[in-house]
Amino acid sequence: MTIEPLQLSCSFCGKPQDMVNRLIASDGVRICNECVESCSELLISDLVEDGSEDTPQTWLDEPLPKPKELVKYLDEYVIGQEDAKKVLSVAVYNHYKRLSHKAKAANNNSSGTDNAIELQKSNILLIGSTGSGKTLLAQTLAKILNVPFAIADATTLTESGYVGEDVEGILLRLLQATEMDISEAERGIIYIDEIDKITCKSENPSISRDVSGEGVQQALLKIIEGTVAHVPPQGGRKHPNQECLPIDTSNILFICGGAFVGLEKMISRRNNQNQKTMGFTSAKTIDLTSQAKDNLLKDLEPEDIVKFGVIPELVGRLPIITTLKPLTEEALLAILTEPRNALVKQYQELMQMDNVQLEFEPEALLLIAQEAYRRKTGARALRGIMEDLMLDIMYELPSRQDIHHCLINKEMVNQHSTAELLFYPTSPLLQKNVG
């Protein structure tokens, strides 16, 4: 007589063991994997309805900073440029308000009706001399909004098929900033620097192709306006059999920046069309002061940028244009000490790690600002001067245990002399004040 094995079954749904993936038994009670999943879904649903478990938060749930709040935050990092801060803050606020409204409408399954107004994005063009804060403004805004950010140099771009970088490489940098998260990258900010360096080289037709000028401008049109671009995940040139990542650029905010050297002369000639000039001297006889340049840039028109060499189609895709003022000596002096990440504060933090208090005399800071202004490279000159000034000190002090304070005075800036100023057991400024 053959005894058949006992067929176990789920105590909840009654399904036999051979009809489920797994059967869990304890103290004579058995439950299958399907019942476990059903119970889990039921419990989670009850918790969400009761409000005892928060739903995952996304960037849409975070309050969007108002333009005035954005300007207030920018003031902590960027000195001056009030007009540019105002324009950028309003543009960025409107852009992400548009994205938030669009995404929430999609989440609520409220598809647009025929009467719905479609909000289009407005990309930005920043015009200002080198070191005036164009990149810093874009970086800081991305940091405030906690969105992905990537920087690209327009001078490295060429037309597809030529030696150089395709315009899709810009999008790859944004993807890499999000660890290849496409949905996250599609709400980011891309800053394209040196956009003025890819202007048309000449208005006259040429036999050779301008592969790094007008050709690149043409290639940028679609991704700036909004299209589904296919990006090689490993970078480099695309080939037919390569798998590419599709990324929609319609929600990516593009900020382009450039110095546009000589643009103010074009504006001046346009404003003085009644004054006729002859020959090649017409472009060189206009000698403008810094104040005059600032006043002229306020009269900037899109047609001036087209005459500079940017194709009209690209100008049309950058409807928001703002200019940054060159930094004065006073602004450079403020940049040294006032921002949250000011250079003086950075070096003081570095020295504090070696238990040394670093101090600067006001006259020394003034000389540094004056030297930076003389170099005509904006705020970038400040770091170069400071690095040169601090080299010997930062080489010597980590090995010294008898120094607790270091004073930078005007003699050090003028003569680059450091040895006699390293032996301060206490604060030299404090000693001077007490004396």
Side-chain angles (χ1 to χ4, degrees), residues 44-296:
I44 292 174
S45 177
D46 291 341
L47 287 172
V48 172
E49 290 179 0
D50 295 340
S52 55
E53 180 175 301
D54 295 331
T55 56
Q57 283 195 342
T58 64
W59 69 278
L60 296 173
D61 301 315
E62 300 176 0
L64 186 63
K66 304 297 189 295
K68 286 186 177 181
E69 297 173 358
L70 291 174
V71 170
K72 185 178 180 180
Y73 193 91
L74 287 172
D75 287 339
E76 298 181 10
Y77 291 90
V78 183
I79 297 297
Q81 312 297 0
E82 284 77 12
D83 292 340
K85 290 176 185 176
K86 183 177 180 180
V87 172
L88 278 171
S89 297
V90 172
V92 169
Y93 173 75
N94 287 337
H95 176 77
Y96 283 99
K97 182 170 63 173
R98 161 185 166 267
L99 293 193
S100 178
H101 176 76
K102 181 179 178 181
K104 288 179 179 178
N107 290 341
N108 294 331
N109 295 322
S110 56
S111 57
T113 62
D114 294 338
N115 296 326
I117 298 176
E118 182 180 356
L119 302 175
Q120 297 181 342
K121 71 171 179 175
S122 296
N123 299 300
I124 305 166
L125 175 62
L126 299 179
I127 298 176
S129 58
T130 179
S132 58
K134 301 185 295 293
T135 306
L136 180 59
L137 282 170
Q139 281 179 323
T140 307
L141 281 171
K143 180 180 179 181
I144 299 170
L145 298 168
N146 192 26
V147 296
F149 180 76
I151 300 177
D153 191 340
T155 58
T156 64
L157 303 176
T158 59
E159 279 190 75
S160 180
Y162 291 85
V163 176
E165 183 181 4
D166 284 343
V167 293
E168 287 83 0
I170 298 174
L171 302 176
L172 177 62
R173 297 184 187 185
L174 190 62
L175 282 169
Q176 291 171 342
T178 64
E179 297 181 354
M180 309 307 286
D181 186 335
I182 295 178
S183 60
E184 184 76 3
E186 288 178 344
R187 68 180 187 92
I189 296 176
I190 292 179
Y191 178 73
I192 305 178
D193 200 9
E194 306 287 357
I195 196 72
D196 56 317
K197 302 302 188 295
I198 60 169
T199 53
C200 303
K201 301 299 185 293
S202 174
E203 296 181 359
N204 300 321
S206 174
I207 298 175
S208 61
R209 291 180 62 88
D210 188 7
V211 299
S212 61
E214 183 178 352
V216 175
Q217 294 187 52
Q218 296 285 354
L220 284 171
L221 291 178
K222 279 297 181 182
I223 68 167
I224 288 181
E225 181 180 20
T227 187
V228 177
H230 294 83
V231 182
Q234 304 300 327
R237 296 292 185 185
K238 292 186 292 185
H239 53 80
N241 298 325
Q242 185 180 22
E243 292 186 4
C244 296
L245 300 175
I247 177 170
D248 187 356
T249 67
S250 59
N251 292 333
I252 297 175
L253 180 64
F254 286 86
I255 302 177
C256 299
F260 288 87
V261 177
L263 182 61
E264 63 279 352
K265 295 182 180 180
M266 295 182 176
I267 301 172
S268 179
R269 285 196 297 271
R270 175 172 57 81
N271 291 342
N272 297 279
Q273 289 180 352
N274 294 331
Q275 298 178 1
K276 296 183 179 180
T277 56
M278 297 180 61
F280 294 101
T281 59
S282 60
K284 297 183 179 180
T285 55
I286 302 175
D287 188 12
L288 302 171
T289 63
S290 297
Q291 184 65 34
K293 291 179 181 179
D294 294 342
N295 294 333
L296 283 171

Side-chain angles (χ1 to χ4, degrees), residues 355-404:
N355 298 316
V356 176
Q357 182 179 349
L358 179 64
E359 298 178 83
F360 288 81
E361 285 187 348
E363 294 84 357
L365 294 175
L366 180 59
L367 286 175
I368 293 172
Q370 290 173 348
E371 174 62 18
Y373 182 77
R374 187 189 62 80
R375 296 187 183 186
K376 301 297 181 183
T377 56
R380 290 189 178 92
L382 293 173
R383 181 169 290 277
I385 296 170
M386 291 287 285
E387 287 287 347
D388 183 53
L389 179 64
M390 296 295 298
L391 176 62
D392 291 340
I393 297 174
M394 300 188 75
Y395 176 79
E396 180 75 20
L397 284 185
S399 302
R400 300 290 299 271
Q401 302 299 322
D402 58 332
I403 300 173
H404 303 289

